[in-house]
Amino acid sequence: MKENILVVGSSGQIGTELVLELRKSYGNMNVIASDIRDSSDEIMSSGPFEILNIMDKDELFRIVKKHQISQVYLLAAILSANAEKNIDFSWQLNMTSLFNVLNLAKENIIKKVFWPSSIAVFGPTTPQIKTPQYTITEPNTVYGISKLAGERWCEYYFEKFNVDVRSIRYPGLIGWKSQPGGGTTDYAVEIFHKAIKDKEYTCFLNSKTTLPMMYMPDAIRATKEIMEAPLSEIKIRSSYNLAGISFSPEEISNEINKHIDSFKIDYNVDFRQKIADSWPKSIDDSVAQEHWNWQTQYDLKRMTEEMMINLKNKYKLASNE
Ligand code: NAD
Ligand code: AKB
């Protein structure tokens, strides 16, 4: 069956990369990017784009009808650090966006939904090492509460209305093509940019704060694999744990030193430390491995090598322009 895909939040960290990968697989004209602001030049020039505020369900309906959309990837959200600064709005956006999309699937207007959850569903009472798929989830951030509520609603819509919704609890994501959007794990992207530009970085988390992270190519592949998996393989309709790579600021800094000898890190901890301390240090993703054959490909060494090569090229190209 021909799929027409709508990506909501195409200008963000994940959307910037996901739209282009989906266009490679499904055809440029069949993947419609959308956001409240323009997306990257590459997205804007390679296929359709719509300005869409996902809070406006009539406008969402109009765009879905116009492009005969069969699948929606809902990426619009306010992330952990920004959400703490605007509690009411973040809760409204993170929940209303999900209901607007799930309700289209409930009415059978669209057939399939991807909605990302996060390691933020876990909280200070969760076992922090190799956090299991099923465990205590008592998040203490607005963002984490919205993700946990979202997971429960996804499962509810599957159970009650047979909505084919699929979800991953992404770890912190690291890529060189786009900037992070206001999360607690943003340091792990910023550190590469600052290492290349200034040879120094002041980190807002302390040196020993180990968190689960993932290189973007693994995250994009996971997203496509879960969406393309046969229906029978997707047995969890809340959200699947994904492990990725666990490291601390000190460890990633040591890895960067193998490429930039003179790079120096120092620390100026802020409110994000408390959020990071409430999250797992490592994740057990054996259930995703078992159900839909998930395998992480990147470790810290390989990710750092690719980040350094690609970002150095990007800055060199920009300075030649
Ligand atoms: P991001 O903040 O970089 O991008 C979100 C995009 O949504 C932005 O381009 C923004 O303009 C857009 N947006 C905001 N309000 C909108 C609205 N009302 N209507 C339409 N678009 C709107 O976020 P991201 O990092 O790309 O994350 C995408 C999703 O993945 C989110 O649900 C996030 O919670 C989840 N996630 C991300 C990470 C990560 O490390 N990046 C980790 C776990 C989960
Ligand atoms: C954040 O830090 O808020 C995100 C996430 C892990 O959900 N990167």
Side-chain angles (χ1 to χ4, degrees), residues 55-68:
M55 305 292 270
D56 184 343
K57 66 174 190 294
D58 296 335
E59 187 61 4
L60 172 65
F61 181 74
R62 190 189 68 75
I63 288 169
V64 162
K65 280 293 180 201
K66 175 180 164 192
H67 296 280
Q68 296 177 4

Side-chain angles (χ1 to χ4, degrees), residues 8-15 34-37 52-55 74-79 89 93 115-119 143 147 168-174 179-182 185 216:
V8 182
S10 60
S11 313
Q13 191 191 8
I14 301 174
S34 72
D35 204 295
I36 44 171
R37 57 188 171 119
L52 169 64
N53 180 351
I54 188 62
M55 305 292 270
L74 172 56
L75 304 178
I78 307 291
L79 275 70
F89 177 72
L93 176 67
W115 172 82
S117 185
S118 161
I119 53 165
Y143 176 68
K147 288 296 182 190
I168 284 168
R169 291 171 178 153
Y170 290 130
L173 301 183
I174 300 167
Q179 294 290 341
T185 59
M216 194 63 90

Side-chain angles (χ1 to χ4, degrees), residues 172 174 185 187-189 191-192 207-215 244-253 281-282 299-300 303-304:
I174 300 167
T185 59
Y187 93 84
V189 180
I191 194 171
F192 284 102
S207 63
K208 305 284 184 207
T209 311
T210 299
L211 286 170
M213 304 278 188
M214 180 174 272
Y215 191 39
I245 323 161
S246 283
F247 58 81
S248 64
E250 188 175 64
E251 286 164 332
I252 195 171
S253 160
K281 296 185 188 309
S282 60
D299 59 14
L300 179 58
M303 177 188 78
T304 306

Side-chain angles (χ1 to χ4, degrees), residues 134-154:
Y134 296 107
T135 186
I136 301 165
T137 44
E138 295 185 324
N140 60 4
T141 61
V142 183
Y143 176 68
I145 297 168
S146 74
K147 288 296 182 190
L148 182 58
E151 286 191 5
R152 303 319 310 149
W153 281 114
C154 286

Side-chain angles (χ1 to χ4, degrees), residues 176-193:
W176 57 273
K177 294 185 183 165
S178 53
Q179 294 290 341
T184 304
T185 59
D186 290 14
Y187 93 84
V189 180
E190 290 168 10
I191 194 171
F192 284 102
H193 289 265

